[in-house]
Amino acid sequence: METQREKTHTCGTICLKYLLLLFNFLFLLAGGVVLVVGVWTLVEKSDYISLLNSSFYSVSAYILIAAGVIVIMTGIIGCCGTLKEMKSLLIVYLILLLCVFLLELIAGVLAYITYQDLDEELRQNLKGTMQQKYKQAGEESVTDAVDKLHQQFKCCGSHNSSDWMDNAWIQSPENDRVVPDSCCKSPSELCGIRDHPSNIYKVEGGCIMKLEEFILSQLYILSAVGIGIAFLQLVGMMFTCCLYRNLEEDPY
């Protein structure tokens, strides 16, 4: 009877080890994805940082990079603790999983609050930034960001193309354009002279609305990824507790 019980415990432990190893593999992949997304956000989307007074994009990117590194380290510790059946490492692993889970909840709340503040900031500051800094000396990053914004989201101006009437560069005597060339559907030198809807993005809507939609869609994606990782963590914590209990019962 005792031998049968020991075999049952051993089989249960082996099954839990493989399940936990599979979980850790998925967890490591998730950490790698988060890390890559963080680096990608920092490199590819950094152009828009200059259009905002806050450091939303850069801070978000660094948080994602840090989270990816922590998740990868946690997964490595979990693999070591599982393979070597070290109960002390499993406890550390369980605590780290719980900490990351709690941090995800806090980050989710902060992301929602930050989005509300960012939305208000966009409405208040984007028009002024375009009018005062576009094509001005020392503001090349703003100019590049605005041009990229026009082309990527197929928009012109903050609310509409008429916002450019108050721009200092547009009003300068040496300039013949009524909108920047990047507002044109087929950009070319001096194409911004004619502001007809067939030539520029005049009826497609302003860039504020398009940028808001983009940020909100990114928030939904991050929320879905976060929920998926959080579910994985709960499963991992359950497997870890079961394996720890089995190791307590198994003879050495």
Side-chain angles (χ1 to χ4, degrees):
M1 177 67 75
E2 187 64 27
T3 303
Q4 183 65 34
R5 184 181 175 186
E6 288 178 8
K7 286 182 179 179
T8 303
H9 285 165
T10 303
C11 289
T13 302
I14 292 173
C15 288
L16 283 170
K17 281 178 64 176
Y18 280 115
L19 285 172
L20 197 51
L21 283 172
L22 175 62
F23 162 78
N24 278 299
F25 176 73
L26 295 175
F27 200 53
L28 283 169
L29 283 180
V33 169
V34 171
L35 182 60
V36 169
V37 169
V39 173
W40 175 76
T41 301
L42 192 63
V43 173
E44 292 293 327
K45 300 302 177 184
S46 58
D47 294 333
Y48 299 136
I49 295 174
S50 57
L51 299 179
L52 306 169
N53 289 335
S54 72
S55 54
F56 172 79
Y57 279 109
S58 56
V59 170
S60 298
Y62 285 122
I63 289 175
L64 284 173
I65 291 171
V69 171
I70 292 171
V71 168
I72 290 172
M73 290 178 60
T74 302
I76 292 172
I77 291 173
C79 287
C80 293
T82 304
L83 287 171
K84 295 183 178 181
E85 298 185 3
M86 294 177 63
K87 290 183 284 186
S88 57
L89 272 182
L90 288 176
I91 292 175
V92 172
Y93 174 61
L94 184 61
I95 292 172
L96 285 173
L97 278 179
L98 183 59
C99 289
V100 173
F101 180 75
L102 293 175
L103 284 173
E104 284 175 349
L105 292 180
I106 296 171
V109 174
L110 290 177
Y112 177 78
I113 295 173
T114 303
Y115 171 74
Q116 303 303 315
D117 294 338
L118 181 64
D119 186 49
E120 184 63 27
E121 181 192 339
L122 276 175
R123 294 182 176 278
Q124 291 179 358
N125 299 323
L126 186 58
K127 183 178 180 179
T129 299
M130 287 182 169
Q131 289 176 345
Q132 298 166 17
K133 296 183 178 181
Y134 185 80
K135 289 291 186 180
Q136 302 302 306
E139 300 293 349
E140 289 78 11
S141 62
V142 172
T143 300
D144 291 342
V146 171
D147 288 339
K148 184 175 180 179
L149 192 66
H150 283 159
Q151 286 299 301
Q152 180 175 349
F153 295 109
K154 302 185 185 305
C155 57
C156 183
S158 54
H159 294 90
N160 50 61
S161 59
S162 62
D163 291 336
W164 287 107
M165 294 174 61
D166 299 322
N167 176 262
W169 175 70
I170 292 292
Q171 292 177 343
S172 60
E174 64 273 12
N175 181 48
D176 296 326
R177 300 170 180 82
V178 290
V179 294
D181 293 337
S182 57
C183 281
C184 298
K185 295 179 179 179
S186 298
S188 62
E189 187 68 24
L190 295 176
C191 67
I193 291 177
R194 191 169 67 94
D195 64 346
H196 192 272
S198 64
N199 182 51
I200 69 167
Y201 297 113
K202 193 168 185 176
V203 297
E204 283 80 3
C207 293
I208 286 180
M209 180 182 67
K210 301 291 184 65
L211 196 52
E212 283 175 344
E213 291 173 355
F214 169 76
I215 293 173
L216 189 59
S217 67
Q218 296 300 301
L219 189 62
Y220 285 148
I221 293 171
L222 289 176
S223 298
V225 172
I227 291 171
I229 294 176
F231 175 76
L232 273 178
Q233 287 173 260
L234 290 174
V235 174
M237 284 188 275
M238 180 184 69
F239 286 157
T240 304
C241 290
C242 292
L243 179 60
Y244 184 87
R245 188 182 64 183
N246 275 29
L247 291 177
E248 288 271 309
E249 295 174 354
D250 275 352
Y252 287 91

